[in-house]
Amino acid sequence: MQCAESPVPAAIGAGRWIRAAAVDDERGRHWRPNPDPDGRSAAPGQEASLYSGAAGIVLFFLELAAATGDDTYLRDAELGADYLVATWPEVRDLSLYHGLTGIAFALAEVGWATGGERFSAAAKRVADQVVGSVRTLDQGIGWTGDPAQRGDGGIILGLLHAAGILGVSAYEQVAVEAGERIAQLVVPGHRFGVETPDLPMDAVTPGFLSGTSGTGFLLARLYGVTRDERFLAAARRGADFVRTISAVSEKCALVPHHVPQARALHYLGFCSGSAGVARMFYELYRVTGDPGDLDWVERLARGIVNSGVPGRRTEGYWNVACQCCGAAGLLELFVGLWAATGEAGHLEVAGAIADDLIGRATQNGGYRWYQAYRRLRPGEVTADTGYLVGAAGIGAALLHLAAARDGKACRRVILLPDNPFPAIPVPVSQL
């Protein structure tokens, strides 16, 4: 019998708190992003999004149902999917994390898990809307003009996933064509601070959501789909840039948040730090088999561990628990690395991170995590329900660890299209 501090009960506790934030109306169910009295969300105005709204919470309830065998969680997911079906025409953002592409992903997963054809059909309508919104840009087609995961990169990944799970090859064709434009960039994902107000105008970000690594990941994924050498060459240009600017010592690597101004600021999380950058190198290893890429994944993982995670707080690993920039994103990395390599040390690190996360939870009416989502605003502490920013994503990461530890059964977990690790978190040698 599991103790109260183990991952599944903690995820159930997160589900209890999220359920208390539910809002039901004629459209279905959504969840208040921060149900505290006068509470403000870390990422407001995204009631339907994968990042902080209903789409991400739907995914968490699907996983909670699979992990516990309790079908009432499936009902939560279906009610949330009803809300997405009813409200997606009001969403103007096309992106994976904040808009329609993420909604299509969530609806497709609900259709897959429940056999509900109406959800799969709705996912197709949403994906059709995204495809129909493509426009001609310089040297090709795209949507936002931003090659990063927060822009066209995430949309392309979402369409590749939709092509497979929904069986519509046209989505892949559009995704590949849009990717061809990105592959022409000298350094893929090379974006300057002029487009990111918080950064200096000449800053360049190597990270995942808004930088070079996320775009390199996309191009590696497109190479795996097409075997077109142009995509691999472009991904290599991005990876070479990241290697060049990283701090390397004793088989460890740390990536600067942005250059040239912040070479000594090393984020560790998924959005802008080592956990996200490692995904690019693992995707390159996955599609090429080059051991040098896996070596860089391991270097980045060692850099995280040597920084003192989970107990030590650094400038790049502050009081933040979520998937985007905090502990849950690191948990996803080390569970994924264990599933990919079978190295027991990775699962041990994942367990230590999970123990720290569970110990940091507030357990009043369920499990929630108060955090300073923005590093530069340490006094702005909130607890969110959403996936990338709050309890849903933390709960999902804990369930992924539980699936990895379960030696008696293999269970498919839901990984976002930007996660390259095995969706059944069991090393190949154990299958």
Side-chain angles (χ1 to χ4, degrees):
M1 182 175 179
Q2 292 170 308
C3 65
E5 290 76 24
S6 61
V8 172
I12 291 171
R16 186 182 310 119
W17 181 66
I18 294 169
R19 274 178 162 176
V23 178
D24 291 327
D25 57 29
E26 68 280 358
R27 301 170 298 177
R29 175 175 295 171
H30 65 284
W31 295 266
R32 287 173 288 165
N34 182 344
D36 285 350
D38 301 321
R40 291 186 301 170
S41 172
Q46 300 183 41
E47 287 79 7
S49 77
L50 195 62
Y51 194 85
S52 58
I57 293 173
V58 160
L59 297 180
F60 168 61
F61 278 120
L62 288 179
E63 296 224 62
L64 200 51
T68 64
D70 185 345
D71 286 346
T72 64
Y73 295 124
L74 277 183
R75 183 59 178 158
D76 290 288
E78 289 175 332
L79 288 169
D82 287 337
Y83 176 83
L84 296 176
V85 172
T87 60
W88 76 260
E90 303 167 12
V91 177
R92 296 292 172 261
D93 191 305
L94 297 168
S95 70
L96 173 64
Y97 303 103
H98 304 292
L100 291 178
T101 304
I103 292 172
F105 176 84
L107 286 170
E109 288 290 340
V110 177
W112 180 274
T114 67
E117 178 56 33
R118 63 193 178 95
F119 297 124
S120 298
K124 289 179 182 178
R125 292 195 297 274
V126 180
D128 288 345
Q129 176 67 25
V130 173
V131 169
S133 301
V134 74
R135 57 196 179 97
T136 301
L137 303 171
D138 293 340
Q139 299 181 303
I141 63 171
W143 294 267
T144 69
D146 185 345
Q149 297 280 23
R150 66 183 178 184
D152 287 3
I155 295 172
I156 293 168
L157 283 175
L159 288 177
L160 290 175
H161 176 272
I165 197 169
L166 299 173
V168 182
S169 60
Y171 300 156
E172 181 178 309
Q173 294 167 11
V174 172
V176 170
E177 185 176 351
E180 289 171 351
R181 173 183 173 274
I182 296 173
Q184 297 175 56
L185 298 173
V186 176
V187 180
H190 202 106
R191 308 285 284 180
F192 292 94
V194 66
E195 297 168 2
T196 307
D198 293 338
L199 298 181
M201 290 185 66
D202 61 340
V204 178
T205 57
F208 200 83
L209 284 193
S210 59
T212 311
S213 295
T215 309
F217 173 95
L218 165 72
L219 292 161
R221 175 65 54 86
L222 285 168
Y223 171 70
V225 169
T226 66
R227 292 295 155 177
D228 186 328
E229 293 289 337
R230 293 176 298 170
F231 291 126
L232 180 58
R236 288 289 183 210
R237 293 197 299 273
D240 289 345
F241 168 71
V242 174
R243 283 191 179 100
T244 299
I245 65 171
S246 294
V248 181
S249 63
E250 298 180 359
K251 297 187 177 181
C252 295
L254 292 168
V255 182
H257 180 267
H258 60 277
V259 293
Q261 299 88 353
R263 288 187 177 274
L265 175 58
H266 302 127
Y267 274 37
L268 301 184
F270 155 69
C271 61
S272 302
S274 299
V277 176
R279 293 188 182 195
M280 173 187 69
F281 284 109
Y282 186 75
E283 183 70 5
L284 278 166
Y285 172 72
R286 193 182 69 84
V287 298
T288 68
D290 187 333
D293 295 314
L294 184 59
D295 176 68
W296 259 79
V297 179
E298 297 285 4
R299 285 174 180 268
L300 290 161
R302 280 191 214 101
I304 292 171
V305 172
N306 287 356
S307 73
V309 166
R312 181 170 177 254
R313 299 283 178 260
T314 66
E315 194 176 7
Y317 183 68
W318 62 101
N319 177 27
V320 62
C322 64
Q323 287 248 10
C324 183
C325 41
L330 300 187
L331 179 54
E332 293 280 25
L333 170 66
F334 284 97
V335 169
L337 272 177
W338 176 78
T341 67
E343 292 292 331
H346 293 315
L347 200 60
E348 291 173 7
V349 175
I353 294 170
D355 289 344
D356 182 69
L357 263 174
I358 295 170
R360 292 163 59 188
T362 297
Q363 301 181 32
N364 183 13
Y367 279 58
R368 75 191 81 176
W369 284 265
Y370 285 95
Q371 61 178 358
Y373 172 72
R374 292 176 175 82
R375 182 181 67 87
L376 297 177
R377 303 180 196 171
E380 188 178 289
V381 176
T382 59
D384 279 64
T385 57
Y387 197 95
L388 270 294
V389 297
I394 296 169
L398 292 170
L399 292 175
H400 297 167
L401 173 61
R405 286 174 167 174
D406 185 358
K408 298 178 181 178
C410 297
R411 176 169 66 82
R412 173 184 178 265
V413 300
I414 298 174
L415 302 181
L416 301 189
D418 58 22
N419 191 321
F421 296 111
I424 299 176
V426 176
V428 172
S429 61
Q430 296 186 21
L431 289 176

